[in-house]
Amino acid sequence: MALRHAAEGRLDARPVSAPAAVPYPPGVRTLELGPHAQAQLVVPEGPPRPRPLLVFFHGAGGTAAQGVALVGDPAAARDALVLAPSSIASTWDLVAGGLGRDVAVLDAALQQVFARQTVTGVAFGGFSDGASYALSLGLANGDLAGAVLAFSPGFAVPPRRVGRPRIWISHGTDDRVLPVARCGRRLARELGAGGYEVSYEEFDGGHVVRPGDVTAALTTWLG
């Protein structure tokens, strides 16, 4: 991928109707993407078939494995693939100083997945910094991501806006890390005013992802 595209937050990878390579078998595997770069892919049980793909971004200080632990099983139960990249630094490039390396790594990971799996649709999701990243990249790549599932996001700063992905946001009313009034609540209001289809849910709780929220997000995306 061109570095210019990565700096603009744009992803070049796209699903193909007939992948040329042998599909990945069911289970969790690590995709090696160069020095210090990796992602984990979850493939549901059963024979290869067309499936939706959730790209899930961990929170600050997190890992791909933590992303898989949050959403891997519920997504696989809905027969969805999960791609969970790890950020190069302690958090995502956009938060750490500017888009670039993590976007390029994600694009390489998507190229590997699309080369082997038939993907019917893509959603971006994440928690905390990962939710802010999912919103920012999702709004910039709405021609790839049809939905964004944001758990306790802080902000959305897409370098450009392409397409109109559906937005789902959840936020705890007792969140002490990213307060609901200036984060989730504000984002839902501003995105709705900007013409996006937004589903917004608040819950009594702090800076967490609850299993029921994962189920609600997947249902919003997959129906």
Side-chain angles (χ1 to χ4, degrees), residues 67-168:
V68 167
L70 279 175
V71 302
D73 286 346
R78 299 291 298 265
D79 205 36
L81 303 157
V82 175
L83 176 65
S86 285
S87 58
I88 300 297
S90 62
T91 191
W92 301 99
D93 52 11
L94 176 64
V95 186
L99 291 165
R101 180 72 189 276
D102 286 330
V103 180
V105 168
L106 173 60
D107 211 51
L110 287 168
Q111 296 278 13
Q112 288 191 25
V113 173
F114 294 154
R116 289 175 173 263
Q117 309 293 141
T118 304
V119 172
T120 57
V122 177
F124 289 172
F127 169 60
S128 193
D129 274 9
S132 300
Y133 201 57
L135 281 168
S136 299
L137 278 193
L139 296 176
N141 294 275
D143 50 345
L144 171 65
V148 178
L149 314 176
F151 301 86
S152 306
F155 61 86
V157 287
R160 63 172 67 185
R161 293 177 186 246
V162 177
R164 280 275 186 256
R166 291 180 296 134
I167 310 294
W168 181 94

Side-chain angles (χ1 to χ4, degrees), residues 2-13:
L3 288 177
R4 180 178 61 81
H5 269 200
E8 293 172 350
R10 288 289 290 160
L11 296 159
D12 293 332

Side-chain angles (χ1 to χ4, degrees), residues 18 28 36 40 52 61 64 105 161-162 170 189 193 200 206 208 215 223:
V28 181
H36 314 297
Q40 291 195 354
V105 168
R161 293 177 186 246
V162 177
S170 70
R189 182 175 65 248
Y200 177 63
V208 296
T215 300

